[in-house]
Amino acid sequence: MPANLTPDYREAERQYRQARGPEEKLAALRRMLATIPKHKGTEKLQADIKQRISRLNEALQRQAHRKGFAVRVEREGAGQVVVVGPPNAGKSSLVRALTGVETEVADYPYTTRKPVPAMMPYRDVRVQLVDMPPVSSAHVEDWIPNLVRTCDAALLVADLGTDEVLEQVEDCLAALEARKIRLVGAVSEPDPWASIAEKRARLVAAKADAAGARERWDALAALYAERLPALAVSAATAQGLEALREEIFALLDRIRVYSKRPGHTAEREPFVLPRGSTVLDFAREVHGELAERLAYARIWGEGKFDGQRVQKDHVLGDGDIVELHAG
């Protein structure tokens, strides 16, 4: 079976050949794996890319170990989102409020010294949040940049409880940029010559219940309106937490698709796919052999007739229920 590689894949492959270091090579390989057509003709190539990703990850971990501390957080759930911010911004309290997992919280800085993963429930899926040690010009753990580069998205937590909130956020962003990472609201077209890696992120203004928080929030939101979409929340009062859950899942740019067998109700646990996935992409996730024999599908979802018949190239939406029919 021919591979039929797409222009997006060819571009990612070109970026890999021109990459100037292991981090750039790893980013390009991940783009190659994300854009390669998923069918029998590319199975060996997919396996080769995965092996190269694994080897590069191991090399980066060995490099981090030589610098003093090797850290790796295995991905779980619908995606991995790291939570970064200046000292005492309220990251751990926020992660605890979103996940229900007890984390160490204290009034002194640098309470968190290692990554703490926890699972955030969102409708029928779970998203992995990773509480990170503080980031500032004064100190950044050697292993933090690699985790931020390889995660799916990031939250930058700001402290509305202090008059220094603007200076703290600027300092945190500058500390990351000094390590070739820029947090942005939307990632621009990949540039193989770029000297800095962009990571999709949201600015989360914590402690919205603090005295003077409203004035600080107005200044913060205005300053970062173009670069980083912002939300004001409070772990103590639960203000804005549900909106933040929605925003975190949206950051992943993925959809939930539910499988349904003919004559049965839909499965309760969805498949999580990249936004823009088609019926054929979904069929490959369900079972490769079924995808090869797929004739059509019936679909239930927003803006569709119940049981509407669609073809293989139909683009799916979040929450769609799909019944696959083989030829």
Side-chain angles (χ1 to χ4, degrees):
M1 182 183 294
N4 295 326
L5 300 174
T6 65
D8 286 343
Y9 175 85
R10 297 292 188 190
E11 174 62 21
E13 188 177 43
R14 184 179 71 83
Q15 292 171 13
Y16 174 75
R17 290 196 298 269
Q18 296 178 347
R20 289 168 290 180
E23 290 90 353
E24 290 185 13
K25 285 182 177 290
L26 183 61
L29 283 169
R30 290 189 183 281
R31 285 193 288 272
M32 288 166 63
L33 188 60
T35 56
I36 191 172
K38 306 296 194 299
H39 56 67
K40 199 173 186 65
T42 64
E43 286 179 351
K44 289 185 178 179
L45 185 53
Q46 290 180 59
D48 176 65
I49 294 171
K50 289 176 181 178
Q51 287 178 354
R52 281 187 278 173
I53 288 174
S54 178
R55 287 196 295 267
L56 267 177
N57 267 324
E58 289 175 1
L60 286 169
Q61 293 300 324
R62 287 195 299 271
Q63 178 180 332
H65 183 70
R66 286 195 296 271
K67 291 181 179 180
F69 194 8
V71 171
R72 183 177 182 180
V73 178
E74 293 291 341
R75 271 182 170 79
E76 292 185 75
Q80 184 183 76
V81 179
V82 299
V83 184
V84 299
N88 253 29
K91 297 182 286 80
S92 297
S93 294
L94 182 62
V95 170
R96 183 173 62 183
L98 289 169
T99 66
V101 174
E102 290 295 328
T103 57
E104 188 176 358
V105 178
D107 292 332
Y108 53 85
Y110 298 97
T111 307
T112 302
R113 301 307 302 268
K114 61 182 181 179
V116 180
M119 303 305 293
M120 180 192 79
Y122 173 77
R123 299 187 182 179
D124 296 331
V125 298
R126 297 192 305 161
V127 177
Q128 185 187 56
L129 303 184
V130 184
D131 186 12
M132 305 276 273
V135 171
S136 71
S137 57
H139 182 71
V140 179
E141 298 283 354
D142 290 336
W143 47 268
I144 285 179
N146 186 48
L147 277 185
V148 178
R149 285 190 195 97
T150 57
C151 71
D152 296 308
L155 301 180
L156 172 56
V157 179
D159 182 1
L160 291 179
T162 175
D163 288 332
E164 298 177 355
V165 59
L166 299 181
E167 292 82 358
Q168 288 183 352
V169 171
E170 280 296 303
D171 182 69
C172 183
L173 289 171
L176 288 172
E177 294 207 15
R179 289 154 180 83
K180 309 301 183 184
I181 300 168
R182 177 177 294 130
L183 302 185
V184 294
V187 176
S188 58
E189 287 296 317
D191 179 3
W193 303 108
S195 61
I196 192 165
E198 292 185 335
K199 181 62 61 176
R200 291 187 72 198
R202 292 294 181 266
L203 178 58
V204 182
K207 306 180 188 177
D209 57 313
R214 181 52 189 266
E215 292 75 15
R216 298 180 191 114
W217 161 247
D218 289 341
L220 189 69
L223 182 62
Y224 291 100
E226 295 186 5
R227 175 173 172 178
L228 278 174
L231 300 88
V233 304
S234 168
T237 67
Q239 174 188 335
L241 292 187
E242 287 309 309
L244 179 56
R245 290 179 194 272
E246 296 275 350
E247 194 64 30
I248 289 171
F249 187 74
L251 256 181
L252 298 174
D253 208 25
R254 292 172 184 165
I255 59 173
R256 299 162 301 130
V257 182
Y258 298 81
S259 178
K260 178 184 179 302
R261 291 183 296 159
H264 294 75
T265 57
E267 298 291 334
R268 296 182 63 181
E269 185 174 342
F271 289 81
V272 179
L273 305 173
R275 188 170 297 279
S277 294
T278 64
V279 168
L280 184 57
D281 294 326
F282 173 66
R284 290 175 181 139
E285 288 293 318
V286 174
H287 197 289
E289 185 177 325
L290 176 60
E292 294 179 4
R293 299 186 293 111
L294 182 65
Y296 66 93
R298 295 196 180 278
I299 192 167
W300 289 256
E302 186 176 352
K304 305 172 181 69
F305 299 112
D306 284 350
Q308 179 178 336
R309 179 167 171 160
V310 296
Q311 299 304 311
K312 299 178 184 179
D313 60 353
H314 177 83
V315 177
L316 299 169
D318 185 44
D320 280 352
I321 298 171
V322 180
E323 184 180 272
L324 300 171
H325 292 262

Coordinates of all heavy atoms in Angstrom, one line a residue, residues 123-162:
R123 N -15.8 16.2 32.0 CA -16.8 15.4 31.4 C -16.5 13.9 31.4 O -16.3 13.3 32.5 CB -17.1 15.9 30.0 CG -17.6 17.4 30.0 CD -18.0 17.9 28.7 NE -18.4 19.3 28.7 CZ -18.8 20.0 27.7 NH1 -18.9 19.5 26.5 NH2 -19.1 21.3 27.9
D124 N -16.3 13.2 30.3 CA -16.0 11.8 30.3 C -14.5 11.4 30.1 O -14.2 10.3 29.9 CB -16.8 11.1 29.2 CG -18.3 11.2 29.5 OD1 -18.7 11.3 30.6 OD2 -19.1 11.2 28.5
V125 N -13.7 12.4 30.2 CA -12.2 12.2 30.1 C -11.5 12.8 31.3 O -12.1 13.4 32.1 CB -11.7 12.8 28.8 CG1 -12.4 12.1 27.6 CG2 -11.8 14.3 28.7
R126 N -10.2 12.5 31.3 CA -9.3 13.1 32.3 C -8.1 13.7 31.6 O -7.5 13.1 30.7 CB -8.9 12.1 33.3 CG -10.0 11.4 34.1 CD -9.5 10.6 35.3 NE -8.6 9.6 34.9 CZ -7.7 9.0 35.7 NH1 -7.7 9.4 37.0 NH2 -6.9 8.1 35.3
V127 N -7.7 14.9 32.1 CA -6.5 15.6 31.6 C -5.4 15.6 32.7 O -5.7 15.8 33.9 CB -6.9 17.0 31.2 CG1 -5.6 17.7 30.7 CG2 -7.9 17.0 30.1
Q128 N -4.2 15.3 32.3 CA -3.1 15.3 33.3 C -2.6 16.7 33.5 O -2.1 17.3 32.5 CB -2.0 14.4 32.8 CG -0.8 14.2 33.8 CD 0.3 13.4 33.2 OE1 0.9 13.8 32.2 NE2 0.7 12.3 33.9
L129 N -2.6 17.2 34.7 CA -2.0 18.4 35.1 C -0.7 18.1 35.8 O -0.7 17.2 36.7 CB -2.9 19.3 36.0 CG -4.3 19.6 35.4 CD1 -5.0 20.5 36.4 CD2 -4.2 20.3 34.1
V130 N 0.4 18.8 35.6 CA 1.6 18.6 36.2 C 2.0 19.9 37.0 O 2.4 20.9 36.3 CB 2.7 18.2 35.2 CG1 4.0 17.9 36.0 CG2 2.3 17.0 34.4
D131 N 1.9 19.8 38.3 CA 2.4 21.0 39.1 C 3.9 21.0 39.1 O 4.5 20.0 39.5 CB 1.8 20.8 40.5 CG 2.1 22.0 41.4 OD1 2.4 23.0 40.9 OD2 1.9 21.8 42.7
M132 N 4.4 22.2 38.8 CA 5.9 22.3 38.6 C 6.5 23.2 39.7 O 5.8 24.1 40.2 CB 6.2 22.9 37.2 CG 5.6 22.1 36.1 SD 6.6 20.7 35.6 CE 7.7 21.6 34.4
P133 N 7.8 23.1 40.0 CA 8.5 24.0 40.8 C 8.4 25.5 40.2 O 8.2 25.6 39.0 CB 9.9 23.5 40.9 CG 9.8 22.1 40.5 CD 8.7 22.0 39.5
P134 N 8.6 26.5 41.1 CA 8.5 27.9 40.6 C 9.6 28.1 39.5 O 10.6 27.5 39.4 CB 8.8 28.7 41.8 CG 8.5 27.8 43.0 CD 8.8 26.4 42.5
V135 N 9.2 29.1 38.6 CA 10.1 29.5 37.6 C 10.3 31.0 37.7 O 9.4 31.8 37.8 CB 9.5 29.2 36.2 CG1 10.3 29.9 35.1 CG2 9.4 27.7 35.9
S136 N 11.6 31.4 37.9 CA 11.9 32.8 38.0 C 13.3 33.1 37.5 O 14.1 32.1 37.3 CB 11.8 33.3 39.4 OG 12.8 32.8 40.2
S137 N 13.7 34.3 37.3 CA 15.1 34.6 36.9 C 16.1 34.1 38.0 O 17.3 33.9 37.7 CB 15.3 36.1 36.6 OG 14.9 36.8 37.8
A138 N 15.6 34.0 39.2 CA 16.5 33.6 40.3 C 16.8 32.1 40.3 O 18.0 31.7 40.6 CB 15.8 33.9 41.7
H139 N 15.9 31.3 39.8 CA 16.2 29.9 39.7 C 15.2 29.2 38.8 O 14.0 29.4 38.9 CB 16.1 29.3 41.1 CG 16.4 27.8 41.2 ND1 17.7 27.3 41.0 CD2 15.6 26.7 41.4 CE1 17.6 26.0 41.0 NE2 16.4 25.6 41.3
V140 N 15.7 28.3 38.0 CA 14.9 27.3 37.2 C 15.5 26.0 37.3 O 16.7 25.8 36.9 CB 14.8 27.8 35.7 CG1 13.9 26.8 34.9 CG2 14.2 29.2 35.6
E141 N 14.8 25.0 37.7 CA 15.3 23.6 37.8 C 15.8 23.2 36.4 O 15.1 23.5 35.4 CB 14.3 22.6 38.3 CG 13.8 22.9 39.7 CD 14.9 22.5 40.8 OE1 15.9 21.8 40.4 OE2 14.6 22.7 42.0
D142 N 16.9 22.5 36.3 CA 17.5 22.1 35.0 C 16.5 21.3 34.1 O 16.6 21.4 32.8 CB 18.8 21.3 35.1 CG 19.9 22.2 35.7 OD1 19.9 23.4 35.5 OD2 20.8 21.6 36.3
W143 N 15.7 20.5 34.7 CA 14.8 19.6 33.9 C 13.5 20.3 33.5 O 12.8 19.7 32.7 CB 14.5 18.4 34.7 CG 14.1 18.7 36.1 CD1 14.9 18.8 37.2 CD2 12.8 19.0 36.6 NE1 14.1 19.1 38.3 CE2 12.8 19.2 38.0 CE3 11.5 19.0 35.9 CZ2 11.7 19.5 38.7 CZ3 10.4 19.3 36.7 CH2 10.5 19.6 38.1
I144 N 13.2 21.4 34.0 CA 11.9 22.1 33.7 C 11.7 22.4 32.2 O 10.7 22.1 31.6 CB 11.7 23.3 34.5 CG1 11.3 22.9 36.0 CG2 10.6 24.2 34.0 CD1 11.1 24.1 36.9
P145 N 12.7 23.0 31.5 CA 12.5 23.3 30.1 C 12.2 22.1 29.2 O 11.3 22.3 28.3 CB 13.9 23.9 29.7 CG 14.4 24.5 31.0 CD 14.0 23.5 32.0
N146 N 12.8 21.0 29.5 CA 12.4 19.8 28.7 C 11.0 19.4 28.9 O 10.3 19.0 27.9 CB 13.4 18.7 29.0 CG 13.2 17.5 28.0 OD1 13.1 17.7 26.8 ND2 13.1 16.3 28.6
L147 N 10.5 19.4 30.1 CA 9.1 19.0 30.4 C 8.1 20.0 29.7 O 7.1 19.7 29.2 CB 8.8 19.0 31.9 CG 9.2 17.7 32.6 CD1 8.7 17.7 34.0 CD2 8.6 16.5 31.9
V148 N 8.5 21.3 29.7 CA 7.6 22.3 29.1 C 7.6 22.1 27.6 O 6.6 22.2 26.9 CB 8.0 23.8 29.5 CG1 7.2 24.8 28.8 CG2 8.0 24.0 31.0
R149 N 8.8 21.9 27.0 CA 8.8 21.7 25.5 C 8.0 20.5 25.1 O 7.4 20.5 24.0 CB 10.3 21.4 25.1 CG 11.1 22.7 25.1 CD 12.5 22.4 24.4 NE 13.4 23.5 24.7 CZ 14.3 23.4 25.7 NH1 14.4 22.3 26.4 NH2 15.1 24.4 25.9
T150 N 8.0 19.4 25.9 CA 7.4 18.2 25.4 C 5.9 18.0 25.8 O 5.3 17.0 25.4 CB 8.2 17.0 25.9 OG1 8.3 17.0 27.3 CG2 9.6 17.0 25.3
C151 N 5.4 18.9 26.7 CA 4.0 18.8 27.1 C 3.1 19.2 25.9 O 3.5 19.7 24.9 CB 3.7 19.6 28.3 SG 3.7 21.4 28.0
D152 N 1.8 19.0 26.1 CA 0.8 19.4 25.1 C 0.5 20.9 25.2 O 0.2 21.5 24.2 CB -0.5 18.6 25.2 CG -0.2 17.1 24.9 OD1 0.4 16.8 23.9 OD2 -0.6 16.3 25.8
A153 N 0.4 21.4 26.4 CA 0.1 22.8 26.6 C 0.5 23.2 28.0 O 0.9 22.4 28.8 CB -1.4 23.0 26.5
A154 N 0.4 24.5 28.3 CA 0.9 25.0 29.6 C -0.1 26.0 30.2 O -0.8 26.7 29.5 CB 2.3 25.6 29.5
L155 N -0.1 26.1 31.5 CA -0.8 27.2 32.2 C 0.2 28.0 33.0 O 1.1 27.4 33.7 CB -1.8 26.6 33.3 CG -2.9 25.7 32.8 CD1 -3.8 25.2 33.9 CD2 -3.8 26.4 31.7
L156 N 0.2 29.3 32.8 CA 1.0 30.2 33.6 C 0.2 30.9 34.7 O -0.7 31.6 34.4 CB 1.6 31.3 32.6 CG 2.4 32.4 33.3 CD1 3.5 31.9 34.2 CD2 3.0 33.4 32.3
V157 N 0.5 30.5 35.9 CA -0.3 31.0 37.0 C 0.3 32.3 37.6 O 1.5 32.4 37.9 CB -0.4 30.0 38.1 CG1 -1.2 30.5 39.3 CG2 -1.0 28.7 37.6
A158 N -0.6 33.3 37.7 CA -0.2 34.6 38.2 C -0.9 34.8 39.6 O -2.0 34.3 39.8 CB -0.5 35.8 37.3
D159 N -0.3 35.7 40.4 CA -0.8 35.9 41.8 C -1.5 37.2 41.9 O -0.8 38.3 42.0 CB 0.4 35.8 42.8 CG 0.0 36.0 44.2 OD1 -1.3 36.1 44.5 OD2 0.8 35.9 45.1
L160 N -2.8 37.2 41.9 CA -3.6 38.5 42.1 C -3.6 39.0 43.5 O -4.1 40.1 43.8 CB -5.0 38.3 41.6 CG -5.2 38.1 40.1 CD1 -6.7 37.9 39.8 CD2 -4.7 39.2 39.3
G161 N -2.9 38.3 44.4 CA -2.8 38.7 45.8 C -1.7 39.7 46.1 O -1.5 40.1 47.2
T162 N -0.9 40.0 45.0 CA 0.3 40.8 45.3 C 0.4 41.9 44.3 O 0.0 41.8 43.1 CB 1.6 40.0 45.2 OG1 2.7 40.9 45.3 CG2 1.7 39.2 43.9

